Amino acid sequence: MKQSELKALKCVISDLFWKLCLACVFLLVGFTQVFGILQVSDNAMNPALKEGDLVLYYRISSTPSSHELAAVAVSGSTEIRRTVAQAGDTVDIQPDGLFINGYLQQEPGITSETLPLKDGITFPVTLQEGQIFVLADVRTDSEDSRIYGPVDSSAVKGRVITVIRRRGF
């Protein structure tokens, strides 16, 4: 191999090395500051999410809107729950179902009854500024805001942007 060819090869390898380093830095920053990945550990959000699914969430966002999925840190773990109410809303759970600001909510994707839990909070509850109310989709015995109350915006890790199915792997 000629000296000029060897020098050109070293230059190409050096460029490739620095491009790979730069890509690694972008990925590291992206997945520690901008995005988050979480593996679903239960079936509380079935059928939207199943145990074992991977969820990609966006950390840099405002408070999740109603009916959006959010990653929330409560009771020492991060879980995915559906946002049903925001600051200023009054949430009431009665035998008839979920009421937001006095209106019965029609939730076509929810197949189980929405009832208050015996060990949970007292209803109605009005959300303060910077709070959201989250519920699991399977509402028979899942842990959600019916037990731990409204979630502060500081506990919201991000809004779910995509789901990667891992079943069968």
Side-chain angles (χ1 to χ4, degrees), residues 116-165:
L117 300 175
K118 292 177 184 174
D119 298 329
I121 63 171
T122 305
F123 290 98
V125 63
T126 301
L127 304 181
Q128 303 300 314
E129 192 63 37
Q131 292 182 327
I132 61 171
F133 199 88
V134 295
L135 292 174
D137 285 356
V138 178
R139 301 199 176 150
T140 50
D141 60 356
S142 299
E143 285 192 18
D144 51 31
S145 286
R146 294 173 297 167
I147 292 178
Y148 46 73
V151 176
D152 288 328
S153 58
S154 61
V156 177
K157 294 215 168 213
R159 295 196 280 186
V160 172
I161 57 175
T162 193
V163 177
I164 302 166
R165 298 280 179 204

Side-chain angles (χ1 to χ4, degrees), residues 10 33 50 60 69 79 92 95 99 115 117 141 157 163:
K10 284 182 182 179
Q33 303 299 317
K50 294 178 174 64
I60 304 173
L69 298 180
E79 51 192 40
D92 193 9
F99 288 81
L115 299 172
L117 300 175
D141 60 356
K157 294 215 168 213
V163 177

Side-chain angles (χ1 to χ4, degrees), residues 104-118:
L104 178 63
Q105 300 300 297
Q106 301 299 318
E107 299 176 291
I110 308 302
T111 57
S112 59
E113 289 183 301
T114 305
L115 299 172
L117 300 175
K118 292 177 184 174

Side-chain angles (χ1 to χ4, degrees), residues 7 21-22 43 65:
K7 189 174 182 179
C21 287
L22 187 61
N43 280 316
S65 302

Side-chain angles (χ1 to χ4, degrees), residues 20-106:
L20 285 173
C21 287
L22 187 61
C24 288
V25 167
F26 277 120
L27 285 173
L28 181 67
V29 169
F31 281 100
T32 59
Q33 303 299 317
V34 179
F35 299 104
I37 297 178
L38 178 69
Q39 184 173 10
V40 178
S41 61
D42 59 14
N43 280 316
M45 295 301 295
N46 196 15
L49 302 173
K50 294 178 174 64
E51 185 176 1
D53 289 349
L54 290 177
V55 174
L56 180 67
Y57 60 92
Y58 185 61
R59 295 177 193 263
I60 304 173
S61 65
S62 59
T63 304
S65 302
S66 291
H67 306 293
E68 279 189 322
L69 298 180
V72 293
V74 290
S75 304
S77 66
T78 302
E79 51 192 40
I80 306 297
R81 296 293 182 256
R82 189 170 305 280
T83 306
V84 296
Q86 298 176 335
D89 290 338
T90 299
V91 179
D92 193 9
I93 298 179
Q94 300 174 5
D96 296 339
L98 173 66
F99 288 81
I100 306 292
N101 299 325
Y103 294 98
L104 178 63
Q105 300 300 297
Q106 301 299 318

